[in-house]
Amino acid sequence: MKKLLTIFSLLLLPLVTPVQAAGGYGIELKPAENNLRDQDSLQRGAILFSNYCMACHSVKYMRYNRIARDLGWTDEEVVAKMTYNQNRVVDNVMTRMLDGVAMDVMGVEPPDLSLMSRLKGTDYIYTFLTEYYQDEKGNWNNHALKGTSMPNVLEGIQRHASPEDYAQAARDISNFLEYAGEPAKLERLDLGWKVIAFLLVLLLLTYLLKKEYWRDIKH
Ligand code: HEC
């Protein structure tokens, strides 16, 4: 019985761990409330990402032509909007920063953001982007990542746009990064329903077949 209980509690462990992990940031994460089906938001997020993040960060597993296809742009539009025609449509989405510069300037290499949404979640990215504050000495710090070497890159929007527009910008960027983390996510979710519907129909058919086979047999 004891053994059974141990096994049972071990099975429950994966359900408990993410909750504990979420508490590990030392701050309550704010919900990003982003929506992968909102293509306008994804388009805005991609452009904001290009303007505010690509100076330091890559999303090296994405190519511009894939982004164009998924976000409803033509090949010409994507390179115009995201690279000011500086890249080819088959290029990967690489930072504009030259090798080694980040190390010299910030003492740390900005991480590639392809899988950041999978690693830390969109709520974390949204919270991180919107939790910059200035301490008494006027130095910028961040509640989600204390002492971070990333500057408050959205400061311009934070100062000059309304709080709603500022939150929306962070939401759009988080949305784009969730998309980049798994570009086929919507296809996967939509296909999932079709597969389950197919299996249900199959279940009905096999049940009817079984009844047919056993019809004349007494049991
Ligand atoms: C001036 C360069 C620079 C720009 C521009 C920049 N970042 Fe960063 N970013 C960094 C550096 C450096 C780090 C590593 C921070 C650290 O470890 O303290 C980082 C880390 C991150 C992280 C990981 C945080 C963590 O918990 O490890 C995320 C997410 C991120 N950046 C998102 C963004 C987004 C989104 C933008 C655009 C809105 C952006 N960054 C723009 C330099 C930059």
Side-chain angles (χ1 to χ4, degrees), residues 25 48-49 52-57 97 106 108-111 113 116 120 124-125 128-129 132 144-151 153-154 173 177:
Y25 295 118
L48 285 166
F49 183 80
Y52 289 92
C53 318
M54 268 168 65
C56 298
H57 292 284
M97 173 118 44
M106 293 175 288
V108 51
E109 209 62 62
L113 296 184
M116 192 52 81
K120 298 203 162 179
Y124 174 79
I125 296 174
F128 175 56
L129 290 177
Y132 276 91
L145 190 64
K146 293 247 168 342
T148 179
S149 31
M150 174 168 138
V153 289
L154 298 183
I173 295 170
L177 287 177

Side-chain angles (χ1 to χ4, degrees), residues 8 34 51 54 56 67 72 84 91 96 106 108 111 118 131 135 148 166-167 175 196 200-201:
F8 192 62
N34 62 308
N51 286 335
M54 268 168 65
C56 298
I67 295 179
Y84 303 98
D91 286 343
R96 302 192 186 98
M106 293 175 288
V108 51
R118 306 284 293 276
E131 279 297 329
D135 61 21
T148 179
Y166 170 57
N175 207 16
I196 288 172
L200 285 176
V201 172

Side-chain angles (χ1 to χ4, degrees), residues 138-171:
N139 297 323
W140 282 104
N141 205 334
N142 190 296
H143 287 122
L145 190 64
K146 293 247 168 342
T148 179
S149 31
M150 174 168 138
N152 180 14
V153 289
L154 298 183
E155 188 185 348
I157 304 182
Q158 189 178 12
R159 281 191 196 282
H160 301 298
S162 66
E164 293 77 29
D165 287 351
Y166 170 57
Q168 188 61 44
R171 181 172 302 120

Side-chain angles (χ1 to χ4, degrees), residues 5-41:
L5 270 177
T6 322
I7 293 174
F8 192 62
S9 51
L10 279 177
L11 282 176
L12 284 178
L13 206 62
L15 295 177
V16 182
T17 342
V19 181
Q20 286 170 343
Y25 295 118
I27 178 183
E28 184 108 4
L29 297 186
K30 297 184 283 191
E33 288 172 351
N34 62 308
N35 176 5
L36 275 182
R37 294 187 195 274
D38 184 348
Q39 201 166 58
D40 289 344
S41 160

Side-chain angles (χ1 to χ4, degrees), residues 3 26 36 40 111 119 140 147 153 160 178 195 206-207 217-218:
K3 220 178 189 177
L36 275 182
D40 289 344
L119 181 68
W140 282 104
V153 289
H160 301 298
E178 175 168 2
V195 171
T206 33
Y207 176 68
I217 303 171
K218 290 209 164 17

